[in-house]
């Protein structure tokens, strides 16, 4: 991975419309024309995320959408509905945060065909989370030096890093895309008068009466995103998954995916706490982890389900061990305590109860038909 701060901006009508609709979010980036290896790789994740909504399928649902990265260092992602079009966007800052998380996680993972337990990567307070513009703008060389550490990674560890990097980004993209396709953005606009659904909320006030509704929609988007990732991997349509399965086996590939699942909600929980004075509007990290684990129980093949669950347990145990050994990783283990798991179960059940009340309202705005052949068994209604 390489860090360069020479953005190339997108030109054309879409960029102009974005500038008009979201003036505070800056300019859209042209990832393909960028000289940054990291940004070009981010375009692969964007394309991978969109494979769940190919053009013909999207048209059959009357689903007009676009995915874009905008040049803003504050880490965030959002989904919005404007003038008949769904906007799904991620900030450049979040790309770098995900890259940093992927490097740190990949460096600590035990890889089957390597004798060393991990690579030596510099650690700092907060597990490397960077929330503010000045963290990037004020110390670019330090950030560049951090990413240069990956040059010492073995080929196997680089493959794991690439899989983590793509998994984590794809999860964010699909989470936001499901906000759009499952009717969340249109419902938020028409029913709640909210212009967008943000992963790291801004200072704008959201009436307290909507807090649980938003949390339930976040749960719904998680539920659907996890299901899409599991389905894609099981169908052998994911090149990253196929490569890891071929080299290390399905269990290890699930270990990698579960690691991505655990890192992202932890980041967003901390981001909400740091950047917002409002109550947290997302399910807790332990709730999001348990939602993923419940999705694994839906795998209909007994032998395959056991492999997936074993891979997930490997990731959970690795996080717990890492949290005990390294003080800067302690927050990773906090979501795995018995008390946290109990609170997560209660939070998840509450999200389901609120979702039951929202279901009819959301369905009126959803563009994703229940049981559409392209989606297979991943229907938009959580039944667990």
């Amino acid at each position: 991975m390489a860090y360069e701060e020479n953005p190339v901006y997108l030109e054309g009508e879409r960029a102009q419309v974005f500038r008009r609709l979201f003036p505070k979010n800056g300019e859209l980036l042209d990832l393909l024309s960028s000289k940054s290896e990291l940004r070009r790789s981010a375009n692969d994740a964007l394309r991978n995320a969109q494979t769940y909504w190919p053009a013909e399928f999207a048209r059959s649902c009357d689903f007009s959408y676009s995915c874009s990265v905008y040049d803003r260092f504050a880490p965030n992602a959002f989904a919005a509905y404007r003038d008949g079009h769904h906007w799904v966007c991620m900030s450049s800052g979040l790309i770098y945060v995900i890259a940093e998380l992927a490097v740190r996680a990949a460096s600590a993972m035990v890889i089957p065909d390597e004798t060393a337990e991990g690579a030596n990567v510099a650690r700092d307070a907060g597990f490397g989370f960077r929330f503010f513009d000045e963290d990037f703008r004020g110390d670019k060389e330090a950030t560049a030096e951090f990413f240069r550490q990956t040059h010492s990674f073995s080929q196997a560890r680089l493959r794991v890093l690439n899989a983590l990097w793509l998994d984590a980004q794809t999860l964010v993209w699909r989470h936001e895309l499901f906000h759009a396709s499952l009717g969340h953005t249109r419902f938020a606009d028409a029913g709640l008068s909210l212009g967008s659904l943000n992963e790291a909320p801004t200072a704008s006030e959201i009436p307290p009466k909507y807090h649980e509704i938003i949390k339930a929609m976040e749960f719904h988007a998680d539920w659907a995103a996890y299901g899409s990732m599991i389905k894609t991997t099981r169908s052998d349509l994911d090149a990253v998954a196929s490569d890891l399965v071929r080299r290390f086996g399905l269990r290890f590939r699930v270990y990698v995916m579960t690691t991505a699942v655990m890192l992202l909600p932890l980041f967003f929980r901390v981001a909400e706490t740091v950047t917002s004075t409002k109550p947290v509007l997302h399910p807790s990290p332990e709730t999001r982890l348990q939602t993923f684990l419940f999705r694994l129980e839906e795998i209909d093949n007994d032998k395959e389900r056991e492999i997936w669950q074993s891979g997930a347990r490997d990731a959970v145990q690795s996080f717990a061990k890492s949290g005990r050994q390294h003080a800067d990783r302690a927050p990773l283990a906090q979501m795995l305590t018995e008390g946290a798991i109990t609170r997560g179960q209660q939070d998840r059940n509450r999200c389901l109860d609120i979702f039951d009340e929202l279901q009819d309202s959301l369905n009126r705005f959803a563009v994703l038909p229940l049981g559409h052949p392209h989606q297979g068994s991943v229907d938009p209604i959580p039944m667990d």
Side-chain angles (χ1 to χ4, degrees):
M1 288 184 173
Y3 175 92
E4 292 181 19
E5 199 38 58
N6 296 303
V8 179
Y9 295 122
L10 199 65
E11 298 179 354
E13 182 180 0
R14 181 157 61 98
Q16 293 174 6
V17 174
F18 180 86
R19 192 181 304 120
R20 173 175 59 83
L21 294 176
F22 310 102
K24 295 182 180 180
N25 289 333
E27 302 287 334
L28 292 185
L29 290 173
D30 184 348
L31 297 177
L32 283 177
S33 299
S34 174
K35 295 181 180 179
S36 166
E37 174 192 346
L38 190 149
R39 284 177 172 160
R40 291 198 305 272
S41 297
N43 190 69
D44 294 336
L46 189 155
R47 290 190 296 105
N48 187 56
Q50 293 180 103
T51 57
Y52 212 64
W53 290 266
E56 184 177 350
F57 170 66
R59 283 195 296 271
S60 75
C61 302
D62 194 23
F63 184 24
S64 173
Y65 80 93
S66 59
C67 295
S68 305
V69 174
Y70 59 97
D71 188 25
R72 187 172 179 85
F73 279 84
N76 201 359
F78 72 87
Y81 180 74
R82 297 284 194 284
D83 302 329
H85 186 78
H86 296 271
W87 293 85
V88 176
C89 302
M90 184 188 300
S91 73
S92 56
L94 182 51
I95 284 179
Y96 287 116
V97 167
I98 293 176
E100 186 174 1
L101 290 174
V103 169
R104 294 183 184 280
S107 72
M109 295 180 75
V110 178
I111 299 177
D113 61 356
E114 288 198 349
T115 56
E117 286 199 356
N120 292 321
V121 166
R123 300 189 180 97
D124 52 42
F127 201 59
F129 298 138
R130 300 175 186 268
F131 299 117
F132 303 107
D133 289 7
E134 55 265 29
D135 290 326
F136 287 99
R137 298 187 188 280
D139 199 6
K140 297 174 187 176
E141 179 53 35
T143 306
E145 179 61 30
F146 174 85
F147 287 122
R148 279 197 290 269
Q149 294 177 101
T150 62
H151 295 171
S152 65
F153 281 16
S154 67
Q155 285 299 312
R157 196 166 297 278
L158 285 173
R159 289 177 182 270
V160 171
L161 168 59
N162 184 56
L164 271 171
W165 159 241
L166 289 174
D167 271 354
Q169 288 182 94
T170 301
L171 277 168
V172 173
W173 283 120
R174 290 197 176 173
H175 174 100
E176 300 304 327
L177 275 162
F178 273 113
H179 272 320
S181 65
L182 294 176
H184 299 175
T185 49
R186 292 179 66 188
F187 170 74
D189 180 51
L192 309 181
S193 298
L194 299 178
S196 62
L197 294 173
N198 290 274
E199 287 307 297
T202 62
S204 60
E205 285 300 320
I206 297 177
K209 63 182 178 180
Y210 296 151
H211 290 175
E212 285 196 323
I213 292 175
I214 293 172
K215 181 182 284 191
M217 290 193 293
E218 295 295 340
F219 161 78
H220 192 198
D222 282 341
W223 179 91
Y226 296 153
S228 77
M229 294 287 286
I230 293 167
K231 182 187 174 186
T232 299
T233 296
R234 293 185 71 204
S235 66
D236 293 327
L237 296 176
D238 181 356
V240 175
S242 299
D243 178 65
L244 282 185
V245 171
R246 183 171 58 253
R247 290 178 61 87
F248 305 120
L250 176 60
R251 178 170 175 168
F252 184 79
R253 193 279 175 274
V254 178
Y255 170 34
V256 172
M257 180 186 292
T258 309
T259 299
V261 167
M262 296 173 76
L263 283 174
L264 282 174
L266 179 65
F267 159 70
F268 283 120
R269 166 51 60 91
V270 178
E272 281 189 324
T273 303
V274 170
T275 62
S276 175
T277 58
K278 300 185 303 295
V280 173
L281 302 178
H282 288 67
S284 66
E286 49 271 20
T287 302
R288 293 178 134 174
L289 171 61
Q290 288 180 53
T291 299
F292 177 74
L293 298 179
F294 270 101
R295 293 299 258 156
L296 300 186
E297 293 183 4
E298 299 172 355
I299 295 175
D300 50 8
N301 182 291
D302 293 344
K303 183 177 181 180
E304 187 180 356
R305 182 173 61 252
E306 174 56 33
I307 294 173
W308 277 79
Q309 291 175 327
S310 297
R313 283 195 297 271
D314 292 342
V316 170
Q317 292 169 2
S318 176
F319 264 60
K321 178 181 177 181
S322 183
R324 291 192 299 268
Q325 292 179 340
H326 306 287
D328 63 335
R329 301 182 184 183
L332 304 177
Q334 291 175 3
M335 72 171 109
L336 305 175
T337 65
E338 184 175 344
I341 292 173
T342 299
R343 290 191 299 273
Q345 291 171 341
Q346 294 170 345
D347 189 34
R348 179 177 167 276
N349 289 335
R350 179 59 179 162
C351 285
L352 279 169
D353 289 341
I354 298 297
F355 176 81
D356 287 341
E357 300 174 11
L358 284 177
Q359 180 176 320
D360 290 341
S361 297
L362 292 176
N363 282 346
R364 289 198 295 270
F365 295 103
V367 297
L368 184 64
L370 181 64
H372 191 290
H374 179 74
Q375 301 299 323
S377 61
V378 182
D379 62 55
I381 309 300
M383 302 302 293
D384 56 354

